[in-house]
Amino acid sequence: MQIDSATAKQLSSLQDNSRIQNRDELIQDILQGGSGSGFGVMLKQYVQSSSGDASGTDAAVAPTAPGVTYRDGLLWQQLGKAASAETSDISGHETRHSVSKSGPTAYDDLIRQASEKYGVDEALIKAVIDTESSFNPNVVSSAGAKGLMQLMDGTAAGLGVTDPFDPAQNIDAGTRYLSYQINRFNGQVNMALAAYNAGPNRLAKLGVSTDEQLMDKLDMLPLETRKYIRKVADAQLKYEA
C-alpha cells in the first residue's frame, strides 16, 4: 500500500494536533480504537489495510504502511520519492492523480476535421500537439521538426505539406501520419506513438509489434521516446470528454 503525498501531508498535520505523546497511548489509540483523534482514526485505517512486515518493532503495534516508522515514541511519515514522485507507468498499470480538464483550443475545428477524416481520436491528436509544441504553430525543434505536430521536412514533403507552419496543413498531415502508425500496428497506440517520435525503423529493429512487447523492451528505446509516450498519455486525459 502506498500513501500519496496529499494524504501524507494530512496525516502530518493531524499528527501535530494529536495528543498522542508516547507508545502506550499510541497502542491504546490505534489497537483499541478508543481514540477520537483524526490522526488515530486515519492511521488505524492505513495500518489495518496493509499486510507488510515490520522489522525492529513489536509486530503487534508496528505500522506497516511504507514510509511510516517509529521514532521517539511517535509515528513519522517519511516523504521520499515513493510518496512524492509521479506514479505513472505507461504499460497501462498506472496510478493517476486527478487531472484538470482543458478547455477548447484555437484549433478545435481543424482537429475535429482531421479526426473525422483519418479516424484518430480528437483527444489523442490534442495530446500529441500539446506534447510536441504546446500548441505553438511556429516552434522549431533542435532536430528541425516544425509546427504544431512537429513534422520533419522529409515527412512533411512526403505528405504534401508546402508550409509546415500552417496549422491546417500541419494538423492534417500530422494526424494522417499518426493514423498510418496506428493502422500499421493494428491500433496499438503506444507502438504508434513510439513510431511517431522515434521512427518506425527503430521499432522494426526491436522486433516488436504490440504494446505488450514494446513494454518488455522499453529500456531499448531512447529516454526521450519513453518519456514522450507517458507525456502523451497524461496529456490525453486532459482532453477526453
Side-chain angles (χ1 to χ4, degrees):
M1 183 194 69
Q2 188 170 8
I3 303 176
D4 61 28
S5 57
T7 303
K9 289 179 181 178
Q10 187 175 5
L11 283 173
S12 178
S13 175
L14 289 169
Q15 182 186 21
D16 289 340
N17 296 325
S18 175
R19 294 182 178 179
I20 300 174
Q21 295 185 6
N22 57 57
R23 180 165 172 153
D24 292 334
E25 289 180 45
L26 179 64
I27 296 172
Q28 181 178 3
D29 188 70
I30 295 178
L31 298 183
Q32 296 181 5
S35 171
S37 71
F39 177 74
V41 173
M42 287 188 66
L43 188 56
K44 183 179 179 182
Q45 291 174 346
Y46 278 113
V47 170
Q48 289 179 341
S49 63
S50 174
S51 59
D53 295 326
S55 59
T57 309
D58 184 354
V61 297
T64 53
V68 179
T69 58
Y70 279 117
R71 194 171 71 207
D72 300 328
L74 293 176
L75 283 170
W76 295 85
Q77 167 65 32
Q78 304 300 320
L79 296 179
K81 293 182 179 179
S84 61
E86 178 183 0
T87 55
S88 178
D89 174 5
I90 64 173
S91 65
H93 303 291
E94 61 268 8
T95 300
R96 297 203 181 278
H97 303 294
S98 59
V99 177
S100 298
K101 299 297 182 181
S102 292
T105 75
Y107 307 103
D108 279 5
D109 288 342
L110 295 174
I111 292 170
R112 188 176 303 110
Q113 292 172 16
S115 172
E116 294 173 354
K117 186 175 180 180
Y118 300 112
V120 179
D121 182 58
E122 285 186 43
L124 179 58
I125 299 172
K126 290 180 180 179
V128 170
I129 295 175
D130 191 334
T131 302
E132 291 282 5
S133 65
S134 299
F135 290 91
N136 180 353
N138 300 312
V139 68
V140 179
S141 75
S142 58
K146 299 171 182 175
L148 290 168
M149 298 189 74
Q150 289 291 274
L151 302 177
M152 296 297 291
D153 288 341
T155 302
L159 294 168
V161 174
T162 58
D163 181 4
F165 300 112
D166 173 37
Q169 291 189 53
N170 194 289
I171 290 174
D172 182 88
T175 303
R176 181 162 31 134
Y177 184 70
L178 181 58
S179 74
Y180 289 163
Q181 305 311 322
I182 293 174
N183 292 332
R184 179 198 295 263
F185 298 110
N186 299 312
Q188 305 286 311
V189 175
N190 285 340
M191 287 286 293
L193 291 173
Y196 190 96
N197 179 260
N201 289 337
R202 186 180 289 271
L203 290 187
K205 292 178 181 178
L206 290 181
V208 298
S209 58
T210 68
D211 284 351
E212 183 177 2
Q213 293 172 357
L214 179 67
M215 294 308 107
D216 291 337
K217 296 186 177 181
L218 196 63
D219 58 347
M220 298 176 68
L221 287 173
L223 179 60
E224 175 191 349
T225 301
R226 283 179 270 162
K227 289 183 176 180
Y228 177 81
I229 297 172
R230 175 179 57 80
K231 287 178 181 178
V232 172
D234 290 344
Q236 187 172 358
L237 294 177
K238 299 190 299 182
Y239 300 107
E240 289 177 339

